Amino acid sequence: MSAVATLRRSRRGGQPASRRLRPWYKNGSLVAGLIIVGIMVLLAVLAPLISPDNPLHQNLDQALQGPSGTHWLGTDKLGRDVLSRLLYGARVDLKIGFLAVLIPFVVGSILGAIAGYYGGWIDIIIMRVVDVFYAFPLYLLVIALVFVLGSGERSIYLAIALVSWVSYCKIVRGEVIVARRQEYVQAARLGGLKNMRVLARHVGPNVVSQAITYAMSDIIMDIMVIVTLGYLGLGITPPTAEWGSMISDAQEFITTLWWMAVLPGIAVVITGLGLSLIGDGLGDLLSPERRR
Amino acid sequence: MLGRLKFVPMRILQAVPVAFGVTVVVFLLVHLIPGNPAESILGAQATPARVAALSKQMGLDESLPQQYLHFLSNLAHGNLGQSYTYQTSVLSLVLQRVPVTLTLVLYSVVLMLIISVPLSAWAASRPGGARDHAVRVVPLVGLGMPQFWVGVMLLLVFAVGFKWFPVGGYGQTFSQHLWYLFLPALTLAISVSPVIIRSLRSSMLNVLESDYVATARSKGAGGWSLFSGHVLRNAVIPAVSIVGVNVGYLVGGTLVIEQVFAIPGLGSLLIGSIQARDFPSVQAVALFVAVFVVVVGVLTDIVYTLLDPRVDLTRRIEV
């Protein structure tokens, strides 16, 4: 260890210093999470190349078969290859899950930053709206919104955006309220910088880490929402391969072809585990002082 | 004691704008329908005459604020509209289903406490130890499990495999209800427990590090008497608010889980009404559930204050 590092370590004090100086690739959770999610994304991207069959290809003569050489995981009630549908399902569920996070992340964070920074009546109004949205259980509001907006991908993005901005708003607002009192923000304001500039250049970068960490669990939440909608028959319209509707289709045959209901769920769990680990690792890396 | 309840009227007053906001959102749901709501609600049965009649019935020719006032005054008279499919008042439909869903929610809260209190205590008793790590890994996996899938899995193992429980339904008598609702309640409990365990564990750790536990230890208390008399009592207080905060999540989950186990509660009403495009029923369920969550929020704060003498919500500073 170099002298500078030792010095820095002692100045920051305490035992956790070693953790703080650890580079990202030595953060076990983060690396494990990135590998898991990376593999899932890779499988999704390569689905057209590695799938044994077209996921939409029906073959009623060979419906509801067990695993075999041609169909490793058997076939569903329309004779479609389950493995191919599982791989193609990843394309749909992961894509929507990852993309759906963007709008609520941006909109929620901006509104939260404004509420926290300006305070007063802007804060009161924004937070009362947040309270109203919090009163609706997530699934209730998403289901109702997808119902009125009509099924399909676009409605899912919209419904998720309308529902999940509130969490980012709350998190960022809390962070901004703390950051406002910090000396570097006071200094920037006393230095005559405009509010928007202080917010964007000084406060923003320092409060965004919490929102990014939260975004990982939010992606999990979004994937849950998508598969749940699919299970309820309100999500992505058939015959597109999607994990939730695969589970719902399989429930009929659960006494015999049980793996058809089990596997899509396991795919969700593995993805969720990867994202949780990334979230944990990021939390560790971005705000070490918060760990207990 | 009663002095601390001075905040109650204030807290209820705070909930009023939120409740109004809920009615606005539920009201606006109709207007999010792309195109003419009446036409879309009628779907395949839309003829110009029917569309015109329904538009008039829904008051779509009035201005938005006028329509909202109408909606509110109907609401005040307990009139949530007529169900298109059942041809009865939506209110009676909802009230029929409420006891079922409420039983399921309470049942799952009980199971959740049975699961999470011992596990979090077990983890907190050796912070950083193997059991602590074991319990902390559970949420990582648990949070990524879709609730309905957990339900399907329990169904697969305990209803289809071992045949210990029915595959679905609600039963006739109270003891049958408990038997039929066991797997659905367990599903919900399992999916919420990770969050509860995480919070309970850290609140127990806080208690364990406190001075009064150190004092109790120095007086020779240990083991179960220390845990039940000092740790559990104080750790339960934050647990109340954690459970309160998660009631919305639990109720939302109930709506979905009812589908898995074919339970005739609010969730089945919601999904059935959606499939039938029965708009007033969808609105009524949404309104009812959201207002329920707001009320539980108020009650949680009241119970919280009663349990913890240090909490004074009259002087709460929001951060």
Side-chain angles (χ1 to χ4, degrees):
Chain A
M1 185 168 287
S2 70
V4 178
T6 321
L7 182 66
R8 229 191 270 156
R9 189 175 176 179
S10 61
R11 201 187 289 159
R12 286 190 185 182
Q15 160 266 333
S18 56
R19 173 174 280 151
R20 282 179 207 167
L21 288 176
R22 222 167 45 171
W24 68 269
Y25 52 83
K26 284 198 180 158
N27 182 316
S29 310
L30 186 63
V31 171
L34 284 173
I35 290 174
I36 293 174
V37 174
I39 291 174
M40 295 306 279
V41 170
L42 206 65
L43 286 174
V45 172
L46 295 179
L49 297 175
I50 55 181
S51 291
D53 197 1
N54 180 332
L56 305 180
H57 175 236
Q58 299 185 7
N59 189 349
L60 291 173
D61 301 340
Q62 298 195 13
L64 297 174
Q65 287 189 345
S68 66
T70 35
H71 302 290
W72 289 4
L73 297 176
T75 55
D76 70 0
K77 63 178 173 186
L78 296 173
R80 296 173 297 200
D81 182 59
V82 171
L83 176 60
S84 308
R85 289 185 70 73
L86 213 50
L87 289 167
Y88 270 86
R91 287 169 86 82
V92 174
D93 287 302
L94 295 187
K95 184 188 92 184
I96 304 180
F98 280 99
L99 289 181
V101 162
L102 298 176
I103 305 174
F105 179 93
V106 173
V107 174
S109 301
I110 291 176
L111 285 173
I114 290 174
Y117 189 80
Y118 290 99
W121 60 268
I122 300 180
D123 185 30
I124 291 174
I125 290 176
I126 293 179
M127 291 324 283
R128 284 299 89 86
V129 176
V130 166
D131 285 345
V132 169
F133 277 85
Y134 253 100
F136 290 93
L138 174 83
Y139 286 123
L140 172 71
L141 201 51
V142 170
I143 290 170
L145 283 170
V146 169
F147 167 50
V148 295
L149 295 168
S151 58
E153 211 174 310
R154 223 186 47 167
S155 302
I156 297 177
Y157 286 125
L158 254 173
I160 289 177
L162 277 167
V163 171
S164 60
W165 65 274
V166 285
S167 305
Y168 294 100
C169 186
K170 267 199 160 173
I171 291 169
V172 171
R173 172 179 175 270
E175 294 282 306
V176 169
I177 288 177
V178 175
R180 265 187 66 174
R181 303 198 200 103
Q182 305 286 322
E183 282 161 14
Y184 67 89
V185 176
Q186 303 282 3
R189 293 175 82 181
L190 288 174
L193 293 181
K194 291 225 171 67
N195 277 331
M196 284 320 276
R197 191 182 158 88
V198 177
L199 206 49
R201 296 291 292 276
H202 299 265
V203 179
N206 286 293
V207 300
V208 86
S209 63
Q210 284 292 309
I212 291 175
T213 308
Y214 173 77
M216 294 305 128
S217 39
D218 200 33
I219 298 175
I220 302 178
M221 215 57 212
D222 291 347
I223 295 176
M224 299 288 188
V225 165
I226 301 157
V227 292
T228 304
L229 286 172
Y231 178 77
L232 296 173
L234 303 169
I236 302 298
T237 39
T240 308
E242 191 274 331
W243 292 337
S245 55
M246 284 176 74
I247 297 175
S248 147
D249 288 343
Q251 203 176 336
E252 250 182 277
F253 311 105
I254 199 160
T255 43
T256 48
L257 309 172
W258 50 269
W259 61 87
M260 274 170 37
V262 176
L263 292 175
I266 290 183
V268 179
V269 173
I270 293 174
T271 314
L273 175 67
L275 288 164
S276 286
L277 287 169
I278 295 181
D280 257 29
L282 281 180
D284 218 358
L285 213 64
L286 295 175
S287 38
E289 71 280 2
R290 274 168 197 278
R291 269 191 80 84
R292 69 156 285 145
Chain B
M1 184 76 170
L2 283 176
R4 279 189 290 118
L5 286 181
K6 263 188 252 158
F7 79 96
V8 172
M10 199 50 211
R11 181 66 184 78
I12 293 173
L13 268 181
Q14 271 180 356
V16 169
V18 176
F20 266 103
V22 165
T23 65
V24 172
V25 171
V26 170
F27 164 75
L28 285 178
L29 272 181
V30 193
H31 296 275
L32 280 176
I33 300 179
N36 181 346
E39 200 175 319
S40 161
I41 287 169
L42 286 168
Q45 297 154 11
T47 61
R50 277 191 176 154
V51 171
L54 185 62
S55 305
K56 198 163 164 52
Q57 191 198 326
M58 291 171 67
L60 291 177
D61 39 359
E62 294 172 75
S63 74
L64 218 54
Q66 269 180 323
Q67 287 184 47
Y68 176 65
L69 287 180
H70 253 127
F71 177 78
L72 269 191
S73 85
N74 279 337
L75 212 60
H77 292 96
N79 177 10
L80 292 164
Q82 292 283 115
S83 155
Y84 301 150
T85 33
Y86 297 92
Q87 303 298 333
T88 52
S89 95
V90 167
L91 185 66
S92 68
L93 270 182
V94 169
L95 290 180
Q96 262 172 30
R97 308 294 190 106
V98 165
V100 183
T101 300
L102 210 57
T103 315
L104 181 53
V105 171
L106 289 176
Y107 200 174
S108 58
V109 168
V110 172
L111 292 182
M112 182 192 78
L113 291 176
I114 294 176
I115 294 173
S116 36
V117 170
L119 275 181
S120 42
W122 194 59
S125 62
R126 292 260 192 291
R131 48 171 87 163
D132 190 24
H133 282 299
V135 170
R136 285 171 72 183
V137 168
V138 173
L140 284 181
V141 181
L143 285 177
M145 294 193 292
Q147 277 176 327
F148 71 89
W149 182 75
V150 174
V152 174
M153 291 304 103
L154 290 177
L155 199 109
L156 176 62
V157 175
F158 296 107
V160 176
F162 293 119
K163 300 196 172 26
W164 290 347
F165 296 96
V167 275
Y170 183 52
Q172 303 297 324
T173 59
F174 182 70
S175 56
Q176 274 187 344
H177 294 338
L178 287 187
W179 186 49
Y180 274 80
L181 291 183
F182 182 78
L183 286 184
L186 184 63
T187 307
L188 289 164
I190 289 176
S191 60
V192 188
S193 290
V195 188
I196 310 288
I197 290 175
R198 192 183 279 181
S199 327
L200 260 182
R201 174 188 162 274
S202 69
S203 72
M204 281 184 192
L205 280 180
N206 278 332
V207 174
L208 282 171
E209 284 162 10
S210 65
D211 292 342
Y212 57 82
V213 167
T215 311
R217 277 206 171 117
S218 69
K219 288 196 291 185
W224 174 248
S225 77
L226 176 75
F227 180 72
S228 62
H230 299 270
V231 180
L232 191 60
R233 264 182 65 187
N234 291 292
V236 148
I237 297 166
V240 168
S241 79
I242 296 161
V243 173
V245 167
N246 283 293
V247 158
Y249 183 68
L250 215 53
V251 175
T254 315
L255 300 177
V256 179
I257 293 305
E258 284 177 11
Q259 284 302 109
V260 179
F261 292 92
I263 297 161
L266 285 174
S268 305
L269 180 63
L270 178 72
I271 306 299
S273 308
I274 284 178
Q275 279 154 1
R277 305 197 67 75
D278 186 353
F279 217 93
S281 305
V282 176
Q283 270 185 315
V285 174
L287 189 67
F288 208 91
V289 170
V291 170
F292 175 77
V293 173
V294 174
V295 171
V296 169
V298 175
L299 289 179
T300 308
D301 277 357
I302 295 175
V303 173
Y304 192 58
T305 328
L306 287 178
L307 283 176
D308 190 344
R310 291 166 304 180
V311 177
D312 187 352
L313 288 180
T314 44
R315 282 185 290 141
R316 184 167 63 170
I317 304 159
E318 270 195 53
V319 175

